[in-house]
Structures are given as C-alpha cells and as structure tokens.
Amino acid sequence: RYSARTWELARRRSVAPHDGLGSNLVMQVKGERVLRVVPLENEDVNECWLSDRDRFSYEALNCAERLTSPMLKRDGKWEDVDWSTALEYIAGELRRIRETHGAEAIGMLATAQSTLEELYLLGKLARGVGAGNVDFRLRQSDFSADGQLRGAPWLGMKIAQIATLDRVLVMGCALRKEQPLLAQRLRQAVKKGAEFNLINPLDDDLLMRVANKAIVAPSAMVGILAQVVKAAAEIRSVAVPSALAGVGVDPSVRKIAESLAAGHNGAIFLGNLAQHHAQASELHRLAQELARIIDARFGFLGEAANSVGGYLAGAMPAAGAAHGMNVSQMLAQPRKAYLLLHAEMDLDTVDPRAARAAMQSAELVVAMSPFRHAPDYAHVLLPVSPFTETGGSFVNTEGRAQSFQGVVRPLGETRPAWKVLRVLGTLLELPDFGYDSVEGVRADCVAAIGDTASRLDNAIEGEPWHLSISAAGAGRSGVEGAGIERIGEVPIYHVD
C-alpha cells in the first residue's frame, strides 16, 4: 500500500513452494522487490485460488533476518567473508574429515522446499564426496518401508479429479493447514454429495459436512484403520487378512467402512501426521489394502513443493544396506560433518533435541539458507536464494513438473544454491559438475529420472504384515493409561 502504482509493477510467473500443490503465481515486482503476489489461473492445479501463505510469504524476502553474505565462525565469533574463502574452507574441511574419519562421516540434509535441481546436485555431491548419506525426509520417523516402496509416493490421481470423488477417507492430516486448496476441492466434492470420512488426532472445523470421524490418539491410529480394513473386507465379502483376524470392530468405526464400501469412486489419502507417524509403514500397508478391498484410489497429500521430486532426484539413500544413511540414522549416530540445505534443525525435524545434539557434536556444520539461523551450532553460513531469486523446478503431488525463473536479482551476496553446490563439487574435484546453467542441471536430472509417470507408485511390497494392533478393538480413544502423547503437527507458517 502506497509503495507503488499498479502500472509500475512488472508481472512475472512463478510457482509456490509451500505445499505439494505447486500453485501458479504472478509475482508483481518494482525494481528488485516483490510487492504483490496473486494467483495465475490454472484449472488443473490451483484454479483461480491462492492460499494465504503463498500470497503473503513475499513479505519475508527483504526482512532483517535475511542472510546477505557468507559468514565463517572463527574463535567463536562470526565474521563476514567472501565466497571463495567460505567455499575453500568447506572443501578443505570435507577433505580433512573424509581422510580422518572416512567418507561415511559426512551427511547432507535438505528440505522438500528445495528445487529439483538443488536436490539432484545435493545427492550427487553426497555420493561423490561421501558414502551417500543424504536425505530430504526430515520429519519422517519410520523408514522400515525403504527398499519396499515401488516408486515415488504421490497423490494417486490428478488434482482436478478430486472434485469427482464420491467417497473420501483422509487420515492423519490437519487438512486446512497442510493443504488449503486441496481442502477447497474436497469441500466442493462434498457439496456435490460426496461423503467425507476422517481418522485423525485433531478435531478441526473443516468447514464441510463430515460423514464419519474417529478422533483418536496417535498410538491408536493403526488400530482404528485396521478395524476399518476388516469391516470393509466383511462388507465386500473379501477374505480378511490373517493379521487382522483377531481385531474387534467398534460400531462407530464400522460406519466409516460402510460409507467407503458404498462408493463407486473413492480415495484414501494420508496426510503429514500419517506420513510422519512412528508406524507410518503400517498405516501405508493398511491404507493400500483398504484401497484394494473397496476398489478406491490411494495417495499421499504431499507435504511440500518437492515431496515427490526429492524421490525422483535421488536426494535419499539408495536401496540397500551399504548405500547411505537416512536422516534418522544420521542424527542417532552423529556424523562429523553436515551440509544443511534450507534446513532448520530446530523446526524441520521430527526430534529437534536429537538433531541439535548431533549438530553440536559435529566438527563442521554448513547451513545454506536465505535466512540467519543456527548461529550456535553452525560453523559456516552460506546465503542461498529463495525461490523468487533462482530458477528451478518443483514436482507437485500429482507428479506435474513445473519450472520457473527467478523474478528478482539475489539480495546482496546471495547465490542460487545450485551454483554453490556446483562450485563445491568442482573444488572437491568430483566428475560431471561443470554446469553453466540451471537448465543444464535440469537436463541431467531429467535424463537420470527418465519417464516421470512410470516412477510414480504408492505400492509397498515385501514381507507380510507384522502389525502391532493388539489394542485395535479396545476402544476409541486409545489413551487409557498411555500418558501424554505428542501430536507432531506442522504449523501452517513453519514450512519455509
């Protein structure tokens, strides 16, 4: 307000990073400042809508918390340094740690808000300099399905098809906070007659008619879903999985199964609270079995811009015991060096206390971020561009790849993260890091991915279930004698 006339603003397209939808944006710019963000209409993605966090996050782009030059901690004091000094120091320390402690002593962590190109280069750097200890799934706590998942977890359908559903089950999701625009599409489906069912530890007002809901403690979610699976199998006259033979079904839970079994075009979605659950793989198996029984679609409500893209880019350990550590292992068994891409360990991890302890025990912590953070445990701070100041790509929750360019010049000495990773690879004398443009990185990444559509698959394979559901039929609350349980909700404005 009062800062520009509308005809003074240049209009530039971009893509929102704050959830798995990938909303299309028009960034309105005067000089080198973003002054307004409005939706770019795309019926297949965000229609004509925009969430509040996509619309107003630009206000942070020029705030006092921006990191504008590289900083190095010497004798416990922070000093501004030039880029060559900072990067040569990092390269030297990584070499020293690799020679002293071995390649497996180096770990690299990123958030799913990073671009596809950044995640691809981070994975390439991790495998080039170390043992492939790289991960972007910072809030995940159950990794037992690694090696059994056939592809990249995705929505399981096109975004535009949500409005055609007649039966929906959402599990473990603060829907309006995690997925504001997908919640709007589900609301439209309910207005047309769809029945919406919910299993969740939070009882939010979803601003729509909820046919059935089970609000239970996190520890009871597996048991409740097991009841739904058994009831659905009985209703559809399908053989009940042997692991569920002894499960008792509460009448209120049976109503969820009855609603889902009566539909002809249903879907089951797992949200953040299910994906980050301590028994996430069991929820995954049960949801997959339920979808098979009732002939429904099954998918994941992607947490961030590249929740799908991180899998495609290879920013996670390769399958097999000798191909790198996941984030849980890297924090439980602290590494000697960490490279953090857009990651704030106090806010972006499932266990901030363990994450902080791991950082404080390391000999080298490099924080790459647009903002000042981690001054007490980092050794180097590198200012890298937010999405408005760099080019890149996001792969949204339906598997749609969307590329964008920076709409303003990087602030101060800020540099795009892909360039920083490229220079680090060159300083470490790693092969195939001679990229001249983000398009070159993208081309290599796309070639490595191959056919994106064929890589999208929610199916989980492997051994038969070994479910811990002895209390599945013991009641709705699941909290009798259990004490206090943590609900790991991600606040709506803590995602970037």
Side-chain angles (χ1 to χ4, degrees), residues 28-39:
Q28 299 189 3
V29 176
K30 181 181 179 183
E32 294 302 327
R33 291 177 67 99
V34 178
L35 295 183
R36 181 187 289 156
V37 176
V38 296

Side-chain angles (χ1 to χ4, degrees), residues 136 152-155 304-313 395-399 456:
F136 73 101
W154 67 303
L155 188 64
N306 263 327
S307 293
V308 173
Y311 284 88
L312 299 178
V395 181
N396 76 356
T397 192
E398 70 171 10
L456 304 176

Side-chain angles (χ1 to χ4, degrees), residues 13-25 27 42 45 54 57 61 110-120 136 159 302-313 341-342 370 385-407 417-418 438 442 445-446 449 452 456 495-496:
R13 296 186 175 193
S14 191
V15 180
H18 300 109
D19 55 40
L21 196 70
S23 296
N24 289 200
L25 311 177
M27 315 287 285
N42 186 332
V45 181
D54 291 337
S57 69
L61 296 175
T111 69
Q113 281 83 17
S114 308
T115 67
L116 188 71
E117 294 79 2
E118 292 166 359
L119 292 170
Y120 173 72
F136 73 101
I159 292 167
E303 174 186 358
N306 263 327
S307 293
V308 173
Y311 284 88
L312 299 178
L341 177 59
H342 297 299
S385 300
F387 77 105
T388 53
E389 298 171 15
T390 185
S393 307
F394 296 139
V395 181
N396 76 356
T397 192
E398 70 171 10
R400 179 188 296 261
Q402 301 183 105
S403 297
F404 56 91
Q405 296 294 329
V407 299
W418 73 265
V438 72
R442 187 180 306 142
C445 182
V446 169
I449 292 171
T452 300
L456 304 176
V495 293
D496 79 342

Side-chain angles (χ1 to χ4, degrees), residues 402-455:
Q402 301 183 105
S403 297
F404 56 91
Q405 296 294 329
V407 299
V408 294
R409 290 197 185 99
L411 184 67
E413 293 299 311
T414 299
R415 295 291 181 268
W418 73 265
K419 287 187 177 181
V420 177
L421 294 169
R422 179 192 68 78
V423 174
L424 274 177
T426 301
L427 290 173
L428 291 165
E429 300 178 347
L430 302 179
D432 302 322
F433 267 84
Y435 299 104
D436 295 324
S437 66
V438 72
E439 288 78 14
V441 182
R442 187 180 306 142
D444 264 15
C445 182
V446 169
I449 292 171
D451 178 21
T452 300
S454 68
R455 295 282 302 276

Side-chain angles (χ1 to χ4, degrees), residues 146 159 270 331 419 475:
D146 279 10
I159 292 167
L270 300 183
L331 298 180
K419 287 187 177 181

